């Protein structure tokens, strides 16, 4: 029983960690656009999740095109979003992230591209006519909990990266402001010293000829 339980637990763990998809964090320069291409079969489900981690107002343009060049999704200046679609055509699908509206700020964008449905963790699970055993039900519950943990970890990791970026940006602004105040105080101090010195300077009368 222990061996069967261990096998089912490992199957749940690998099923939660091994779902097909791609996660990537990319740098998007100002006035630039980055595109990615994926060849898909017809009738395939895919999901695109993305979020801007740092840069500017934390917004980005995004669009998805089918193999015929038809736009099936388009959003402008979004901080984060999720898009799910079932393909009707076989071919190369293109999704792009654009920062063309920004002329100064670089962006860091995270996206997760998942293709297809997750396979069942138990063999013939979708075609079974009998109820799941207590062990199998526990395995399914563990699998769902692992998926929830992975999603939560991704969410908190992105929030931590976003907050760290904001903290570093705020720290840079405070440092520049402090340097400016120091420079102003230095200039004002020198000006005050020179002004006071001019008050106490004796002006000697010029000596005339005999």
């Amino acid at each position: 029983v222990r061996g069967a339980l261990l096998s089912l637990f490992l199957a749940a763990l690998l099923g939660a960690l091994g779902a097909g998809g791609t996660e990537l964090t990319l740098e998007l320069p100002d006035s630039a656009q980055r595109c990615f291409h994926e060849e898909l079969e017809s009738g395939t489900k895919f999901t695109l999740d993305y979020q801007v981690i740092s840069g500017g107002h934390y917004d980005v343009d995004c669009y998805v095109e089918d193999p015929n060049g038809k736009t099936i999704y388009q959003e402008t200046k979004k901080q984060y979003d999720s898009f799910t679609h079932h393909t009707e055509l076989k071919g190369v699908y293109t999704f792009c992230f654009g920062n063309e509206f920004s002329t100064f700020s670089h962006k860091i964008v995270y996206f997760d591209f998942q293709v297809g449905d997750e396979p069942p963790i138990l063999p013939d699970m979708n075609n079974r006519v009998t109820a799941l055993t207590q062990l199998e039900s526990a395995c399914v519950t563990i699998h769902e909990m692992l998926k929830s943990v992975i999603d939560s970890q991704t969410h908190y990791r992105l929030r931590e990266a976003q907050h760290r970026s904001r903290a570093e940006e705020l720290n840079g602004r405070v440092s520049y402001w402090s340097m400016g105040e120091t420079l102003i105080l230095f200039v004002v101090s020198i000006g005050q010293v020179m002004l006071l010195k001019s008050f106490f300077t004796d002006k000697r009368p010029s000596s005339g000829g005999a």
Side-chain angles (χ1 to χ4, degrees):
V1 176
R2 181 177 299 176
L5 179 61
L6 180 60
S7 299
L8 289 175
F9 176 76
L10 290 176
L13 178 61
L14 293 175
L17 297 179
T22 301
E23 292 184 76
L24 185 64
T25 301
L26 62 98
E27 181 178 0
L28 194 60
D30 52 278
S31 303
Q33 179 176 276
R34 295 283 299 276
C35 293
F36 301 86
H37 310 277
E38 184 74 18
E39 185 172 1
L40 302 174
E41 299 290 334
S42 60
T44 302
K45 173 186 175 182
F46 71 85
T47 301
L48 174 64
D49 298 311
Y50 63 92
Q51 179 176 342
V52 181
I53 300 176
S54 66
H57 296 287
Y58 299 88
D59 52 359
V60 70
D61 295 341
C62 180
Y63 68 88
V64 181
E65 291 183 349
D66 65 8
N68 292 334
K70 178 183 176 182
T71 301
I72 57 178
Y73 170 82
Q74 184 172 10
E75 291 290 343
T76 58
K77 297 185 178 180
K78 295 282 289 188
Q79 295 184 354
Y80 58 88
D81 201 6
S82 178
F83 172 67
T84 301
H85 182 72
H86 288 80
T87 62
E88 299 178 354
L89 301 173
K90 177 183 177 180
V92 177
Y93 286 76
T94 303
F95 59 98
C96 299
F97 299 99
N99 192 31
E100 297 169 319
F101 58 88
S102 179
T103 56
F104 297 101
S105 58
H106 285 48
K107 306 288 177 62
I108 302 296
V109 181
Y110 162 87
F111 74 87
D112 181 12
F113 188 74
Q114 298 289 336
V115 179
D117 294 319
E118 183 181 358
I121 61 174
L122 300 176
D124 299 330
M125 182 175 177
N126 296 330
N127 300 325
R128 296 187 59 169
V129 295
T130 59
L132 297 177
T133 64
Q134 185 176 1
L135 186 61
E136 292 171 339
S137 299
C139 181
V140 173
T141 302
I142 292 173
H143 176 71
E144 296 298 328
M145 293 177 64
L146 287 173
K147 287 174 57 181
S148 177
V149 168
I150 293 174
D151 292 339
S152 297
Q153 287 180 337
T154 301
H155 173 70
Y156 290 127
R157 186 173 70 249
L158 292 177
R159 290 195 62 183
E160 187 273 335
Q162 190 177 67
H163 292 167
R164 182 176 67 249
S165 175
R166 290 181 177 177
E168 291 176 352
E169 181 181 358
L170 181 60
N171 179 67
R173 292 182 179 181
V174 171
S175 299
Y176 289 136
W177 180 260
S178 300
M179 292 175 59
E181 285 187 333
T182 302
L183 181 61
I184 292 175
L185 289 175
F186 184 72
V187 172
V188 170
S189 299
I190 293 179
Q192 288 180 343
V193 170
M194 295 182 64
L195 182 62
L196 290 174
K197 184 177 180 182
S198 66
F199 289 159
F200 296 98
T201 300
D202 295 332
K203 297 182 179 180
R204 297 180 180 180
S206 58
S207 57

